[in-house]
Amino acid sequence: MANTNGHGEPILIAGGGIGGLAAAYALARKGLPVRVLEQAGEFKELGAGIQLGPNIFRAVDALGLKQELLADVWRPGALEMRCALSGAQVTRVPLDQRFTQRFGQPYAVTHRADIHAVFLKACQADNLVTLETQRQVEGFEQHDGGVTVTLQTGERIAGRALIGCDGVWSKIREQIIGDGKPRVSGHIAYRAVLKREEVPADLWQPDIILWAGPRTHLVHYPLRRGELYNLVAVFHSDRYVEGWNAEADADVLWAHFKGQRPEVLRMLERIETWRMWVLCDREPVKDWSRGRVTLLGDAAHPMLQYLAQGACMATEDAVWLAEKVAAQPHDLPAAFQAYVRQRYLRTARVQIMARVYGDFYHARGPTAELRDRMLGGRSAEQAYDGMAWLYGEM
Ligand SMILES: Cc1cc2nc3c(=O)[nH]c(=O)nc-3n(C[C@H](O)[C@H](O)[C@H](O)COP(=O)(O)OP(=O)(O)OC[C@H]3O[C@@H](n4cnc5c(N)ncnc54)[C@H](O)[C@@H]3O)c2cc1C
């Protein structure tokens, strides 16, 4: 039995990714002991960049970790979309003081490992959090007073409740919702992280640049105080491989980006080894709790990455879950229901809108022309108005 410092049985958390660690820390701050069961041999995130909208800063501010998160980020000056065929600028949304004033929080980009490390350090420093590796959760049973989790080794672990933070292929979701495998979007992401000096000076840009092409796009931006450079190239393909880290075939990528601007091709040429993700999501569901078991982050509402919100939504979930649990700590099933009611429509909107943005980025012909006119005609204020539902709330 894990040490819970006399606070009674812990809440179990399956999965120690960004969502699991954010939830562990948020609950511990409310005085609840938690035990995080991670299948991997260490608590670690794979190397790639993620964008952080103002809404995640609102959430980490609530957890008292905003300054820690800001310490290693890069603050881009704008979000810019360019046509990958003509090179023309489609739209440029400033992320300067006007943006920060409008939303009360900044926009930044970070290395996935850096945000994960912020939550990990916070958990390590909190004696209500027990962190355990090599604990692959297979399933659970629940009874009136709690839950019992079974590990792949056959070991059984008891807790007051269970939060499935085990990502898009969640075992816990399988048991409480049972909606099969995730939906394969038909889009594949290749990613790579370069050192700053590996990027030719004329190609290095301080902003987030998205090159929209027919059925492709490339995004690049600096990371980690500007020391690194993140590249994500997305194209259409029916390939399906589970996991976030499969090795990728560069020839397949070249076939899809052929004919695009030299800036795009020269950037892609810099990469020797690509890693690949098959992009998956699920249909939104209205209820992802059953009694003393609930879900959080990608396990609850996996989304395509086109709004750059998966980690942001997982962190928002963590804050709300802890709020609802703290409001009725003696009735966890009711607290979990309240948490889901708070979250399901907001996360469903992001799941749905992320698909729409994916279609927008990869548009061809008249659809692309229409996109360019709609986005290109906006002032900064109009662009901010369009983002308010996402960035203005939590
Ligand atoms: C190409 C791409 C770009 C993205 N860009 C952004 C972005 O810009 N901004 C953003 O906010 N989000 C972005 N995301 C999404 C974001 O990465 C995810 O939404 C986020 O990491 C989800 O966190 P999570 O903790 O819910 O799940 P995961 O990160 O998947 O973590 C799950 C954890 O559970 C563990 N686990 C799994 N199964 C078990 C088990 N049975 N037992 C025990 N442990 C288990 C895993 O090892 C892992 O540690 C992007 C995603 C992709 C694919």
Side-chain angles (χ1 to χ4, degrees):
M1 189 71 207
N3 170 25
T4 55
N5 302 312
H7 286 79
E9 273 194 335
I11 294 180
L12 304 177
I13 295 185
I18 291 166
L21 294 185
Y25 184 62
L27 288 166
R29 268 173 67 91
K30 300 286 186 189
L32 293 133
V34 289
R35 188 168 170 189
V36 183
L37 308 169
E38 165 57 44
Q39 68 180 1
E42 57 182 322
F43 284 92
K44 194 174 159 195
E45 271 287 326
L46 300 171
I50 54 172
Q51 301 182 42
L52 303 173
N55 53 316
I56 195 175
F57 284 105
R58 208 167 286 124
V60 289
D61 214 1
L63 297 177
L65 296 173
K66 182 174 162 186
Q67 292 316 316
E68 287 79 350
L69 183 58
L70 278 171
D72 291 321
V73 301
W74 177 259
R75 298 277 302 272
L79 285 162
E80 185 171 319
M81 187 192 279
R82 297 180 187 168
C83 172
L85 299 180
S86 69
Q89 185 187 94
V90 175
T91 181
R92 185 176 165 84
V93 181
L95 299 173
D96 55 14
Q97 229 184 338
R98 279 173 292 174
F99 181 92
T100 310
Q101 265 166 8
R102 170 70 190 260
F103 296 112
Q105 297 287 351
Y107 199 101
V109 285
T110 195
H111 198 291
R112 200 180 288 266
D114 294 346
I115 179 172
H116 188 259
V118 168
F119 291 131
L120 183 59
K121 272 189 204 143
C123 286
Q124 284 165 336
D126 193 316
N127 66 5
L128 287 179
V129 182
T130 307
L131 297 167
E132 297 172 43
T133 53
Q134 291 183 311
R135 298 277 187 276
Q136 187 174 345
V137 176
E138 275 295 300
F140 67 86
E141 287 158 28
Q142 56 178 321
H143 45 86
D144 281 351
V147 296
T148 305
V149 156
T150 308
L151 303 185
Q152 194 215 13
T153 53
E155 189 186 340
R156 287 159 67 80
I157 296 177
R160 277 183 72 197
L162 169 66
I163 306 166
C165 304
D166 48 343
V168 66
W169 299 281
S170 168
K171 281 266 180 2
I172 310 301
R173 183 185 179 106
E174 208 175 288
Q175 208 174 324
I176 63 178
I177 301 181
D179 55 354
K181 283 193 182 289
R183 188 193 71 113
V184 178
S185 67
H187 298 188
I188 287 195
Y190 275 35
R191 66 176 169 80
V193 177
L194 294 173
K195 295 200 182 101
R196 180 180 177 144
E197 54 275 18
E198 290 170 334
V199 184
D202 65 315
L203 295 182
W204 192 92
Q205 299 278 335
D207 301 326
I208 299 170
I209 310 287
L210 185 149
W211 296 89
R215 307 181 76 184
T216 70
H217 80 269
L218 168 70
V219 185
H220 51 73
Y221 48 80
L223 286 180
R224 194 171 288 161
R225 304 175 300 272
E227 293 158 20
L228 301 174
Y229 210 69
N230 190 60
L231 277 90
V232 181
V234 180
F235 57 89
H236 291 209
S237 160
D238 290 331
R239 217 172 144 205
Y240 180 71
V241 182
E242 279 189 14
W244 301 90
N245 208 27
E247 199 165 322
D249 180 348
D251 290 344
V252 179
L253 179 80
W254 282 111
H256 286 84
F257 283 79
K258 205 164 72 188
Q260 296 199 1
R261 292 284 302 172
E263 299 93 309
V264 172
L265 302 181
R266 283 179 56 219
M267 195 66 104
L268 296 179
E269 262 169 22
R270 310 305 305 168
I271 317 297
E272 278 169 22
T273 314
W274 290 97
R275 294 277 153 189
M276 170 187 111
W277 271 305
V278 173
L279 301 178
C280 297
D281 69 357
R282 289 183 186 273
E283 294 306 323
V285 292
K286 192 179 164 81
D287 186 4
W288 62 69
S289 280
R290 297 287 179 274
R292 293 174 171 271
V293 183
T294 194
L295 303 173
L296 183 146
D298 277 4
H301 41 65
M303 50 191 59
L304 301 181
Q305 90 288 7
Y306 298 118
L307 281 179
Q309 279 289 323
C312 301
M313 287 295 133
T315 309
E316 286 189 11
D317 283 351
V319 172
W320 277 113
L321 177 75
E323 287 299 323
K324 299 298 182 186
V325 166
Q328 39 190 340
H330 303 298
D331 189 351
L332 292 181
F336 289 175
Q337 286 297 329
Y339 148 72
V340 174
R341 276 197 303 279
Q342 178 73 40
R343 298 297 296 155
Y344 81 95
L345 278 179
R346 177 163 171 79
T347 52
R349 186 167 178 181
V350 183
Q351 285 174 289
I352 291 161
M353 289 310 292
R355 292 180 184 172
V356 173
Y357 271 74
D359 289 344
F360 244 42
Y361 294 156
H362 293 180
R364 296 181 284 183
T367 315
E369 252 182 75
L370 190 63
R371 170 199 68 199
D372 295 356
R373 279 200 195 184
M374 282 168 62
L375 296 182
R378 296 179 309 175
S379 65
E381 281 308 323
Q382 285 168 326
Y384 299 161
D385 288 345
M387 297 166 165
W389 69 274
L390 181 57
Y391 295 155
E393 294 178 25
M394 190 188 104

